[in-house]
Amino acid sequence: LGYEISYLSDEKISILFNGTFNFGTAVKQIVKSKNYDLKSGKEITFNNFFDKSSAAQKKLSILLQNAAKEQQKIDFEAEGKELYFKASNAVILYYPLDDSVIYPIHLYLPVEEIRDIINR
């Protein structure tokens, strides 16, 4: 198991953990993230980072669908969404709903474009 600090500022830190595991006859890559608000000490997750209002969730859904099509040429269908930060992006990490997928998908959303749907 390895790790990478993908983002560090006065406000937050984002750490990615990488490894592999056997899944039947296949070897899969696993990536997990941990993010912390350095001022409050609280963990930042996909579930608590975005505003829960219906308008914000609708915009997030559209952004994720567009990012999946533009960046990966696939539809956005995910299980176990995680979040990490890299440069000026919030990165959504997930596995598609397909057991044959070995590597997780990483979708980059510029923080400037999602400021209005982030919890403050």
Side-chain angles (χ1 to χ4, degrees), residues 66-85:
N66 291 341
K69 286 184 180 186
E70 291 171 12
Q71 297 171 27
Q72 301 290 326
K73 311 294 187 244
I74 59 174
D75 287 329
F76 181 75
E77 294 180 322
E79 59 186 359
K81 296 179 287 287
E82 292 194 33
L83 168 76
Y84 69 93
F85 301 96

Side-chain angles (χ1 to χ4, degrees), residues 31 42 44 62 71 76 80 91:
V31 181
K42 294 186 179 181
I44 303 167
I62 291 167
Q71 297 171 27
F76 181 75
V91 184

Side-chain angles (χ1 to χ4, degrees), residues 7 11-12 14 16 18 20 22 28 33 61-62 79 81 83 99 104 107 109-111 118-119:
Y7 186 84
E11 292 88 34
K12 63 184 168 249
S14 192
L16 286 178
N18 302 286
T20 57
N22 293 330
K28 290 203 171 214
S33 66
S61 179
I62 291 167
E79 59 186 359
K81 296 179 287 287
L83 168 76
D99 287 339
L107 297 179
L109 300 177
V111 171
I118 295 173
N119 276 327

Side-chain angles (χ1 to χ4, degrees), residues 18 28-31 72 93-96 101-106:
N18 302 286
K28 290 203 171 214
Q29 181 185 31
I30 187 164
V31 181
Q72 301 290 326
L93 167 70
Y94 70 96
Y95 287 88
V101 174
I102 295 172
Y103 301 101
I105 303 291
H106 302 253

Side-chain angles (χ1 to χ4, degrees), residues 22-88:
N22 293 330
F23 187 73
T25 58
V27 175
K28 290 203 171 214
Q29 181 185 31
I30 187 164
V31 181
K32 295 288 184 183
S33 66
K34 289 289 185 183
N35 312 286
Y36 294 96
D37 179 314
L38 295 176
K39 296 200 185 286
S40 70
K42 294 186 179 181
E43 186 174 5
I44 303 167
T45 66
F46 179 86
N47 291 329
N48 69 16
F49 184 67
F50 295 103
D51 186 318
K52 294 292 183 210
S53 71
S54 60
Q57 290 297 304
K58 183 176 181 179
K59 180 176 179 177
L60 177 60
S61 179
I62 291 167
L63 288 170
L64 291 173
Q65 191 61 248
N66 291 341
K69 286 184 180 186
E70 291 171 12
Q71 297 171 27
Q72 301 290 326
K73 311 294 187 244
I74 59 174
D75 287 329
F76 181 75
E77 294 180 322
E79 59 186 359
K81 296 179 287 287
E82 292 194 33
L83 168 76
Y84 69 93
F85 301 96
K86 189 160 189 126
S88 61

